[in-house]
């Protein structure tokens, strides 16, 4: 059956999937996206993958202290980035969203500045790597505390509704976050207020080592929405177009006053939890190898090939172009140098109170 | 000039600020229709509507966390926590989000918000309606902490807190809500956050306190005056950042310092003031500075009046200072 309008039903038994493993378009509607958009998605996914590889390299060469690899999440993250209105809607990301913030337009030099803790970080190198943010792009600076950004996303959305700005808040998190009290607090309040917020779980089925079956007895994450009286969409996060269209649908609903929704994008985590983790202690290499066969980039490549939009030469050129951009941005971030240590005392408050002035003087004397 | 209680001063401050600035809004449990369990927000939902005065679900994390998002997006939220004792489910929002948002984003995002809460004992509330948790907040860089003791200060400081660009924890000693009535201007005035008030000038010793125990401290000072001992009484009003200048000037003059607080003594604000004065004025002090605080127990019910600093305990400590 062919649908005239693109819409989705909540609470499907199986994940919503628009492209199958072989790259066939299996949706009951035409995607209607121009070739340049389809290719842009591929470019952004590839850039996300190459960024991940570059970050792993920075860890292996001792140039940075931490990363949270996002490989396996690229389709979900690029789908989300393209579904929201860049610079208008707000994004409340979590620490595994480097591919998402990159696709949204956060400059690579800022990403590397944050990763390396140099003066190129607009947040002044105060947080560990994988904690981006951008006021310009309405990307709410990542906070390590799991699910602590859910109630603020709800609050911002209440403000958007109150001031009738036509914006939507998009809030992403992992599967482990859904067990936190603040997750419940934020989703419940948003639902009661019918606030324009889309909650998106990038479900890779692991919270560090804890498998989803130890995390929740719910059949899936999306179904939790039922208890809050909001729709829950269960989708294949390895399928960039499923991610894009489902999130776009949820955003349209929120924007037109239908209130919040919960979107679950099922993904794989190809890396360990972080550079400080050894995932061989808790998941088999066979399981991981099988998941790697379901690479989101490969599936989308097959789809593009069938559309006549992908060939090896184009992909190779793209790869080289992105690699060059990554290296240039990395060098620029390095060149920015270390931030001034006395900036440590800025931004605790709008104005520096006496006790911090005293402490700044103390450090200045030590450094003199 | 109208005569107001602390509760009326809060109502007046909120009303004036909401009237002045459309971005100012209220959220909390029972703050709308009910007007708050202490009636601090009475009539405001009727006047400003349910969008600007939100009755929230029973969740401190939702209240404080939503205030963070509202503030970051451009509103000026005033959140009410029903009792300071119940702020703890919202602490991750206050400590991890509100307090650190400006810092972690390098000044890109800010959380100009007020979290009001009734604090302290004296209402037969047992240990979950009586605590004084200000030291937790003051120990968290990024938060400002105000503890009021008079209706006049309450209005001026609450208005200033709402206009402040940083998150302010605004603590209201619930036993003083209706205990004191005084003249409070009906028109606009602001009081500076971070500035103490000298309630009574004196030359013999310095009494520093804030919040609920200001009543007992002033009674003790009056009794001392009857015996020709002149205590200088300082009300800190803001405990983060506290007014070191005023305290040092007074302690340098009198040479004797007593700090009174009803919060547990160990690791308290009183300890911080004593440590600072000891560090900076060691040579000028005539006696070791002392503290009279709540005991280091959970807040008890039956021993309520004995737990909080009594006039007797304040006078005994003052005597020790004077006879040293």
């Amino acid at each position: 059956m062919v649908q005239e309008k693109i819409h989705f039903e909540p609470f499907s038994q199986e994940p919503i999937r628009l492209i199958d493993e072989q790259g066939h378009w299996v949706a009951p509607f035409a995607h209607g996206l121009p070739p340049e958009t389809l290719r842009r998605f591929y470019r952004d996914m590839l850039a996300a993958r190459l960024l991940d590889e570059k970050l792993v390299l920075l860890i292996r060469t001792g140039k940075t202290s931490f990363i949270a690899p996002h490989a396996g999440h690229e389709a979900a993250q690029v789908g989300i980035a393209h579904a929201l209105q860049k610079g208008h809607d707000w994004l409340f990301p979590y620490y595994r969203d480097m591919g998402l913030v990159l696709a949204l337009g956060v400059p690579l030099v800022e990403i590397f500045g944050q990763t390396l803790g140099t003066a190129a970080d607009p947040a002044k190198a105060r947080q560990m790597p994988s904690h981006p943010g951008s006021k310009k792009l309405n990307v709410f600076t990542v906070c390590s505390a799991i699910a602590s950004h859910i109630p603020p996303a709800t609050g911002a959305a209440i403000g958007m509704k109150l001031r009738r700005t036509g914006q939507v808040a998009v809030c992403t998190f992992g599967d482990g976050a859904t067990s936190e009290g603040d997750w419940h607090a934020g989703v419940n309040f948003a639902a009661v207020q019918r606030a324009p917020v889309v909650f998106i779980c990038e479900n890779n089925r692991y919270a560090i080592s804890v498998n989803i079956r130890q995390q929740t007895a719910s059949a899936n994450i999306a179904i939790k929405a039922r208890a809050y009286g909001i729709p829950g969409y269960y989708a294949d996060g390895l399928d960039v177009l499923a991610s894009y269209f489902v999130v776009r649908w949820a955003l349209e609903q929120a924007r037109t006053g239908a209130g919040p929704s919960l979107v679950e994008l099922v993904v794989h985590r190809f890396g360990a939890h972080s550079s400080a983790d050894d995932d061989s202690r808790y998941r088999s290499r066979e399981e991981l190898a099988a998941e790697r066969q379901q690479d989101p980039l490969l599936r989308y490549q097959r789809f593009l090939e069938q559309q006549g939009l992908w060939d090896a030469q184009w992909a190779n050129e793209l790869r080289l172009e992105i690699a060059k951009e990554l290296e240039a941005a990395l060098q620029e971030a390095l060149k920015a140098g270390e931030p001034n240590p006395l900036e440590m005392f800025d931004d605790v408050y709008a104005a520096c109170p006496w006790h911090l002035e005293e402490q700044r003087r103390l450090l200045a004397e030590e450094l003199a | 000039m109208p005569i107001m209680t602390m509760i009326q001063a809060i109502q007046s401050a909120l009303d004036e600020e909401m009237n002045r600035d459309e971005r100012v809004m209220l959220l909390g449990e029972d703050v709308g229709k009910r007007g708050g369990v202490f009636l601090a927000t009475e009539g405001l939902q009727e006047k400003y509507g349910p969008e600007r005065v939100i009755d929230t679900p029973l969740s401190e994390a939702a209240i404080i966390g939503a205030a963070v998002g509202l503030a970051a997006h451009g509103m000026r939220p005033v959140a009410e926590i029903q009792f300071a004792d119940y702020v703890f489910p919202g602490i991750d929002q206050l400590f991890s989000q509100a307090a650190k948002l400006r810092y972690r984003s390098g000044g890109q995002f800010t959380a100009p918000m007020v979290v009001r809460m009734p604090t302290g004992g004296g209402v037969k509330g047992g240990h979950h309606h009586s605590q004084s948790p200000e030291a937790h907040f003051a120990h968290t860089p990024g938060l400002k902490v105000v503890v009021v003791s008079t209706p006049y200060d309450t209005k001026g400081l609450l208005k200033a807190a709402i206009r402040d660009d940083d998150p302010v924890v605004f603590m209201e000693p619930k036993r003083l809500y209706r205990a004191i009535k005084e003249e409070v201007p009906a028109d606009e005035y602001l009081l500076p956050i971070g500035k103490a008030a000298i309630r009574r000038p004196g030359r013999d010793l310095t009494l520093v306190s804030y919040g609920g125990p200001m009543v007992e401290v002033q009674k003790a000072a009056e009794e001392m005056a009857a015996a020709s001992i002149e205590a200088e009484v300082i009300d800190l009003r803001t405990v983060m950042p506290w007014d070191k200048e005023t305290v040092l000037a007074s302690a340098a003059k009198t040479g004797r310092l007593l700090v009174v607080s009803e919060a547990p003594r160990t690791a308290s604000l009183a300890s911080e003031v004593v440590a600072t004065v000891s560090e900076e004025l060691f040579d000028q002090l005539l006696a070791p500075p002392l503290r009279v605080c709540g005991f280091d127990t959970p807040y008890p019910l039956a021993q309520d009046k004995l737990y909080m600093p009594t006039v007797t305990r304040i006078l005994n400590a003052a005597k020790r200072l004077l006879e040293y």
Side-chain angles (χ1 to χ4, degrees):
Chain A
M1 197 177 74
V2 178
Q3 286 174 211
E4 280 190 18
K5 265 191 73 191
I6 299 175
H7 70 90
F8 297 96
E9 291 299 322
F11 306 117
S12 57
Q13 292 294 312
E14 295 296 319
I16 298 166
R17 175 180 278 192
L18 307 183
I19 301 172
D20 71 11
E21 294 280 1
Q22 286 69 46
H24 300 123
W25 180 253
V26 292
F29 54 82
H31 60 69
L33 296 171
E36 60 270 24
T37 303
L38 293 172
R39 281 187 145 197
R40 180 75 210 185
F41 284 13
Y42 183 80
R43 190 198 198 278
D44 287 349
M45 288 170 72
L46 185 60
R49 174 64 55 83
L50 296 179
L51 171 62
D52 192 76
E53 288 173 3
K54 194 83 170 176
L55 294 172
V56 171
L57 195 70
L58 291 177
I59 276 287
R60 294 209 174 128
T61 53
K63 294 226 168 60
T64 187
S65 54
F66 175 89
I67 61 155
H70 58 263
H73 287 235
E74 295 90 344
Q77 296 189 357
V78 169
I80 297 166
H82 284 273
L84 52 79
Q85 292 181 15
K86 293 176 192 181
H88 179 61
D89 294 332
W90 281 49
L91 176 69
F92 291 74
Y94 78 126
Y95 56 78
R96 203 182 301 287
D97 272 336
M98 289 302 235
L100 172 47
V101 300
L102 177 64
L104 201 63
V106 173
L108 273 171
V109 61
E110 292 184 9
I111 288 175
F112 284 121
Q114 209 274 315
T115 304
L116 301 165
T118 73
D121 176 12
K124 304 183 191 171
R126 294 191 179 122
Q127 292 208 96
M128 61 195 295
S130 296
H131 289 61
S134 168
K135 174 78 179 174
K136 251 181 292 179
L137 290 162
N138 296 337
V139 177
F140 190 75
T141 308
V142 171
C143 174
S144 310
I146 302 296
S148 73
H149 61 311
I150 316 289
T154 293
I158 293 171
M160 292 165 185
K161 187 181 163 201
L162 183 59
R163 300 204 283 175
R164 292 158 180 84
T165 63
Q167 295 165 302
V168 177
V170 172
C171 180
T172 56
F173 43 84
D175 37 306
T178 64
S179 297
E180 286 282 7
D182 284 14
W183 187 87
H184 160 76
V187 174
N188 180 57
F189 193 19
V192 170
Q193 287 287 320
R194 297 180 74 80
V197 50
V198 177
F199 300 107
I200 304 175
C201 180
E202 296 179 35
N203 178 10
N204 61 30
R205 303 176 318 286
Y206 279 98
I208 303 189
S209 69
V210 175
N211 184 273
I212 188 76
R213 292 280 67 95
Q214 276 99 49
Q215 197 67 246
T216 179
S218 302
N220 56 49
I221 299 293
I223 202 169
K224 291 174 187 283
R226 221 188 261 283
Y228 298 94
I230 61 173
Y233 300 97
Y234 179 38
D236 184 350
L238 300 170
D239 173 347
V240 65
L241 294 184
S243 302
Y244 168 72
F245 279 110
V246 171
V247 174
R248 198 180 82 172
W249 167 253
L251 272 146
E252 279 168 14
Q253 300 304 299
R255 212 182 301 281
T256 52
S261 52
L262 172 62
V263 177
E264 172 183 7
L265 300 175
V266 183
V267 297
H268 291 319
R269 194 188 82 196
F270 290 158
H273 158 69
S274 76
S275 51
D277 178 34
D278 170 11
D279 64 333
S280 69
R281 296 170 70 97
Y282 54 82
R283 65 171 173 177
S284 72
R285 298 302 86 179
E286 293 74 33
E287 176 189 320
L288 186 59
E291 287 182 2
R292 280 183 174 281
Q293 293 303 307
Q294 299 168 348
D295 190 321
L297 267 87
L298 197 60
R299 195 196 306 184
Y300 192 52
Q301 175 189 319
R302 288 179 186 135
F303 168 78
L304 288 182
E305 270 182 307
Q306 288 167 29
Q307 311 281 313
L309 293 172
W310 192 96
D311 62 72
Q313 197 196 335
W314 174 70
N316 279 336
E317 279 167 13
L318 208 52
R319 192 175 277 273
L320 288 174
E321 184 184 303
I322 294 165
K324 215 186 273 176
E325 286 174 16
L326 287 166
E327 186 55 29
L330 174 64
Q331 291 310 322
E332 198 185 331
L334 277 168
K335 218 165 55 197
E338 285 186 18
N340 178 350
L342 296 179
E343 280 183 4
M344 191 198 306
F345 301 95
D346 297 341
D347 306 316
V348 182
Y349 300 96
C352 201
W354 64 265
H355 64 293
L356 288 176
E357 283 299 353
E358 274 184 16
Q359 292 164 27
R360 189 204 303 268
R361 275 197 299 277
L362 195 71
L363 181 63
E365 282 166 22
E366 187 183 329
L367 295 174
Chain B
M1 208 182 291
I3 306 287
M4 289 189 198
T5 62
M6 186 180 280
I7 278 290
Q8 289 165 329
I10 294 165
Q11 290 169 357
S12 169
L14 294 174
D15 188 14
E16 281 183 22
E17 290 305 294
M18 291 187 79
N19 194 43
R20 178 190 64 84
D21 183 349
E22 278 199 335
R23 299 171 304 164
V24 178
M25 59 171 298
L26 313 180
L27 69 166
E29 294 156 20
D30 307 296
V31 300
K33 269 191 181 160
R34 174 71 175 76
V37 293
F38 290 99
L39 300 179
T41 55
E42 192 179 20
L44 295 173
Q45 192 184 56
E46 224 171 13
K47 188 164 173 187
Y48 297 102
E51 280 199 317
R52 280 180 75 196
V53 181
I54 300 178
D55 275 318
T56 66
L58 204 164
S59 168
E60 292 76 14
I63 295 165
I64 298 175
V68 171
L70 281 158
H73 191 258
M75 296 297 286
R76 291 269 165 167
V78 181
E80 177 177 301
I81 298 299
Q82 212 155 65
F83 287 84
D85 313 72
Y86 298 128
V87 72
F88 300 105
I91 282 296
D92 204 21
Q93 292 303 322
L94 195 58
F95 288 7
S96 302
Q97 287 289 348
K100 296 179 181 68
L101 182 57
R102 179 187 294 278
Y103 198 71
R104 78 168 194 262
S105 68
Q108 295 181 87
F109 293 96
T110 60
M113 57 191 264
V114 178
V115 183
R116 290 181 42 245
M117 58 185 81
T119 186
V123 298
K124 286 287 170 200
H127 48 250
H128 289 307
H129 297 82
S130 309
Q131 296 170 85
S132 298
E134 62 271 16
H136 298 296
F137 309 133
H139 204 77
T140 302
L143 298 178
K144 292 181 178 175
V145 186
V146 173
V147 192
V148 288
S149 76
T150 70
Y152 176 84
D153 284 2
T154 297
K155 182 171 169 183
L157 280 165
L158 182 53
K159 285 167 66 80
I162 291 169
R163 299 184 197 190
D164 200 278
D165 288 332
D166 291 305
V168 179
V169 178
F170 196 89
M171 306 180 76
E172 304 154 2
K174 62 180 88 65
R175 70 171 178 277
L176 303 184
Y177 268 156
R178 291 178 173 82
I180 305 165
K181 284 183 183 168
E182 66 177 356
E183 289 193 336
V184 174
D187 356 310
E188 167 99 354
Y189 69 98
L190 299 171
L191 293 174
I193 289 173
K195 193 82 193 115
I198 297 174
R199 299 295 183 200
R200 180 188 186 100
R203 57 176 193 277
D204 298 325
L205 79 160
T206 300
L207 297 181
V208 172
S209 188
Y210 57 89
M214 280 307 300
V215 174
E216 286 72 29
V217 166
Q218 291 185 90
K219 268 188 202 148
E222 279 161 27
E223 289 199 23
M224 282 185 245
S228 300
I229 297 159
E230 292 303 328
E232 182 145 286
V233 176
I234 296 174
D235 183 347
L236 284 180
R237 304 195 288 192
T238 301
V239 298
M240 176 51 71
W242 62 281
D243 185 353
K244 182 174 84 163
E245 208 184 325
T246 299
V247 173
L248 285 185
S250 176
K253 180 175 73 179
T254 65
R256 298 180 182 93
L257 174 70
L258 174 61
V259 187
V260 181
S261 158
E262 71 175 272
R265 187 175 75 176
T266 301
S268 66
L269 260 312
S271 303
E272 181 59 32
V273 173
V274 164
T276 304
V277 171
S278 303
E279 281 181 357
E280 304 212 10
L281 294 178
F282 193 75
D283 294 345
Q284 297 167 63
L285 295 176
L286 303 171
L290 294 178
R291 293 164 291 171
V292 170
C293 298
F295 297 112
D296 288 332
T297 65
Y299 192 100
L301 178 74
Q303 302 88 352
D304 186 68
K305 292 272 176 346
L306 290 173
Y307 175 89
M308 295 184 295
T310 58
V311 174
T312 306
R313 216 176 299 145
I314 296 166
L315 288 172
N316 287 345
K319 198 163 170 245
R320 267 182 70 192
L321 280 173
L322 292 160
E323 291 175 355
Y324 180 79

